[in-house]
Amino acid sequence: MTSLQQVNPRVLAIRESTGLQTLAAHITQQITQGGKRPFQKVTDVSSHDPQEAGMAPISFVRQVGVSYSSSWTVCACYSMFVLSQVLAMCQYPELLKDEHFPLDARQRAQKLLGWCSGGSVGSYTPTSNGTPQILETIADFITRRDGGVRSHPENIIFSTGSQKIFQLLLHLMSCGSGGSQTGMLIPTPCPHTLLSLMDESEVKTVPYQLMEERGWAVDLDKLHQALKAARGHCEPRAIYICNPGNPTGHVQDRETIEQVIRFAATEGLVLLAHEVHQDSVYGQDKQFVSYKKVLFEMEKKYSEAVELISIHSISTACAGECGLRGAYMEVVNVDPPIMTYVKRLQITTCPPVLSHFAMHLMVNPPTPGDLSYGKYAQEILQRQKTLSQNARRACDFLNALPGMSCQPAMGGVFLYPRLQLSSHMIEEAKTSGVEADVFYCQRFLEEEGVCLGPGCENGHDDQNYHVRLCVLVPPVSLDQVLARLRSFHLRLLEGSH
């Protein structure tokens, strides 16, 4: 290719990045090469990557007896309990002979290897959708989670991460042009990776505003307003829901879920439920309830008609294996001919064996009585306690800063505080050719070595400026981030007067 005219227009349509990750990498390289900065390293809390942030993978090397009640939440948190040992044995089977590893871990690794073609993780999965036994394990997990609402392996599709799944779904739905172009209702704010995927697929964004003053709740009137505004500009065919919210931390109650389901049914919309952080709900009197469970407890005109696609991933708060890239979607009430084409798209992306194994280990944890259960349960409790305490502590801290306010998170791994920026700083940002929230994050990164996520990445394009902060980090790291934020923010306020 010799000119941009030869580049796929869909690629050219992808919005430009804020450049913060590039700046962070540049600063890191400078420090590595001996450059002088008032900090020793860059701390990135703009995205959810717990291991990069210093959270160790959950292991069961040291076994400690702990009493813990069995629940599906514990099941959802299991995956990294075994990754340091079971996956190690799968990659190097000689370790199966080492009795230092707990017997249940060795037995699990032996079972997984038995499901591999040729008994090796270096082989392809038996089918383009992965290993049949693991799909059955996922279906069993969903059935347990939803109190007996049946899930079927043939409705499970595995892929290399939730972003890949969205890419596949958007590719499937994208059609038409002008007023007939496919549109999708998405929340503002939305996950920061979603917008570029929609740009690439040529699916029209139909934003609906979440209610910040109500803890970022979904509001039915806002859904109707968004749909009405989209008519004539595109053809809305789907609605995207994130529960618990990313980056808002809002957890939807049953009443809200029922309202959204009725709205989708009335308007003929496919319902996409992104439920990756279902294992990290910590708000008082809050609990995760899946869209599928609520749907199947409603009248048949909904439970047998609403097209629902729900998504889960090994990049959960407790699992935290973002780099292994594994996710599944469960497809409900979609016509068989459409399902055929979904599976045809998946044929091109045969899942990696290790991410498939990691998913199996997340949804099928040890039970009380297993040798590994005590230590595993203890570490999961500690992970959840750290996340909950970090979220509350950071929210209180942010609300105490002048010119900043933050809604409490009820779940998930992010806080999403609002910034009140001076007119002087907004003008400085315009002069620099960037959004004001990006300018704030650039300055903070350059002066204090901490990378936050600007709200414009999450779809905010007005002057309600926000930043995104991941709180799933070691408490000592969070202390350092908050101390640097206070110093920078107060210094910025003083300079604006």
Side-chain angles (χ1 to χ4, degrees):
M1 291 184 286
T2 57
S3 75
L4 290 177
Q5 293 179 342
Q6 296 172 314
V7 176
N8 187 332
R10 291 191 177 191
V11 176
L12 294 176
I14 298 173
R15 64 197 66 202
E16 186 178 358
S17 74
T18 59
L20 287 167
Q21 293 298 321
T22 301
L23 178 59
H26 176 68
I27 293 173
T28 297
Q29 185 179 33
Q30 282 185 329
I31 295 173
T32 302
Q33 294 174 349
K36 298 300 181 182
R37 290 275 180 171
F39 45 87
Q40 295 181 335
K41 67 173 184 176
V42 170
T43 302
D44 189 350
V45 288
S46 68
S47 61
H48 167 229
D49 189 352
Q51 293 190 40
E52 190 274 339
M55 300 291 288
I58 294 168
S59 66
F60 65 104
V61 174
R62 295 163 293 158
Q63 294 297 304
V64 179
V66 175
S67 175
Y68 191 77
S69 61
S70 177
S71 71
W72 79 263
T73 301
V74 174
C75 297
C77 297
Y78 171 56
S79 69
M80 296 323 104
F81 154 76
V82 289
L83 279 178
S84 61
Q85 296 199 12
V86 173
L87 293 189
M89 287 183 276
C90 287
Q91 293 179 86
Y92 186 56
E94 285 296 310
L95 293 176
L96 290 168
K97 303 173 185 177
D98 190 338
E99 295 186 0
H100 288 94
F101 290 99
L103 178 61
D104 59 339
R106 285 183 279 140
Q107 290 173 336
R108 184 68 67 90
Q110 190 69 62
K111 177 185 285 187
L112 290 173
L113 286 172
W115 293 343
C116 289
S117 302
S120 170
V121 297
S123 59
Y124 288 118
T125 53
T127 73
S128 61
N129 194 30
T131 306
Q133 295 93 328
I134 294 178
L135 299 178
E136 291 175 6
T137 304
I138 295 171
D140 289 343
F141 159 75
I142 296 171
T143 301
R144 292 195 307 273
R145 182 198 66 186
D146 292 341
V149 177
R150 289 297 304 166
S151 176
H152 303 282
E154 59 269 23
N155 294 335
I156 306 293
I157 294 177
F158 191 89
S159 191
T160 52
S162 59
Q163 291 183 54
K164 187 66 179 180
I165 285 177
F166 282 121
Q167 196 174 41
L168 184 153
L169 292 173
L170 291 169
H171 186 43
L172 182 74
M173 291 188 291
S174 178
C175 65
S177 60
S180 65
Q181 180 183 0
T182 296
M184 180 187 294
L185 277 72
I186 67 168
T188 300
C190 66
H192 66 282
T193 57
L194 182 60
L195 294 173
S196 60
L197 291 176
M198 294 188 67
D199 290 342
E200 180 186 359
S201 66
E202 293 188 342
V203 171
K204 188 79 170 178
T205 297
V206 180
Y208 61 90
Q209 184 65 50
L210 300 178
M211 307 300 289
E212 183 172 7
E213 68 278 9
R214 287 166 43 199
W216 298 109
V218 177
D219 183 83
L220 192 60
D221 288 339
K222 295 295 184 182
L223 295 181
H224 285 293
Q225 289 174 17
L227 197 65
K228 183 178 179 180
R231 299 297 189 194
H233 301 284
C234 65
E235 184 61 42
R237 294 190 175 97
I239 177 172
Y240 169 90
I241 293 286
C242 193
N243 184 41
N246 173 358
T248 64
H250 178 74
V251 177
Q252 296 176 23
D253 57 23
R254 182 180 292 269
E255 181 181 357
T256 299
I257 294 173
E258 288 180 352
Q259 288 179 344
V260 173
I261 290 173
R262 291 191 181 98
F263 172 78
T266 301
E267 303 297 341
L269 302 175
V270 178
L271 180 50
L272 306 182
H274 194 192
E275 300 174 329
V276 168
H277 293 302
Q278 58 188 261
D279 67 354
S280 54
V281 173
Y282 41 79
Q284 186 174 2
D285 300 325
K286 294 290 184 179
Q287 63 178 350
F288 171 78
V289 183
S290 76
Y291 263 77
K292 183 188 176 187
K293 177 177 172 61
V294 175
L295 175 64
F296 275 75
E297 291 174 353
M298 296 175 69
E299 306 97 304
K300 284 188 176 181
K301 65 179 180 179
Y302 300 112
S303 64
E304 295 182 355
V306 173
E307 296 174 289
L308 172 66
I309 300 174
S310 48
I311 298 151
H312 195 16
S313 163
I314 59 175
S315 297
T316 66
C318 289
E321 282 295 334
C322 307
L324 280 180
R325 313 306 301 153
Y328 71 78
M329 61 176 165
E330 183 185 25
V331 182
V332 174
N333 291 333
V334 172
D335 288 341
I338 303 297
M339 192 67 176
T340 298
Y341 282 96
V342 173
K343 291 182 176 180
R344 283 185 189 178
L345 286 172
Q346 179 60 14
I347 287 174
T348 63
T349 54
C350 183
V353 172
L354 290 180
S355 63
H356 215 214
F357 282 4
M359 179 63 74
H360 165 79
L361 297 170
M362 182 180 82
V363 301
N364 188 27
T367 55
D370 291 342
L371 290 174
S372 306
Y373 182 77
K375 180 61 179 176
Y376 147 71
Q378 183 186 52
E379 291 183 339
I380 291 299
L381 281 173
Q382 184 58 44
R383 177 70 65 95
Q384 294 176 327
K385 181 180 178 181
T386 295
L387 177 58
S388 174
Q389 291 181 345
N390 279 0
R392 291 188 178 92
R393 187 159 57 91
C395 185
D396 290 343
F397 176 93
L398 295 169
N399 280 319
L401 282 179
M404 193 174 286
S405 62
C406 185
Q407 293 291 329
M410 298 292 107
V413 298
F414 291 105
L415 291 180
Y416 195 64
R418 175 192 285 248
L419 297 174
Q420 295 176 9
L421 300 179
S422 67
S423 58
H424 174 71
M425 187 170 188
I426 294 172
E427 286 303 315
E428 275 193 272
K430 287 182 180 177
T431 302
S432 300
V434 297
E435 297 289 340
D437 52 0
V438 176
F439 188 67
Y440 182 94
C441 292
Q442 285 177 345
R443 289 275 302 271
F444 187 37
L445 176 56
E446 290 172 338
E447 296 178 26
E448 298 289 347
V450 177
C451 186
L452 296 174
C456 63
E457 291 182 337
N458 300 92
H460 267 123
D461 59 1
D462 54 20
Q463 292 194 2
N464 292 322
Y465 300 113
H466 294 76
V467 291
R468 184 179 66 253
L469 166 65
C470 179
V471 293
L472 185 55
V473 298
V476 65
S477 297
L478 182 63
D479 289 340
Q480 294 170 357
V481 167
L482 296 180
R484 293 179 187 180
L485 181 58
R486 177 196 285 118
S487 174
F488 167 77
H489 189 75
L490 296 180
R491 192 165 66 242
L492 203 65
L493 291 178
E494 291 173 3
S496 65
H497 295 309

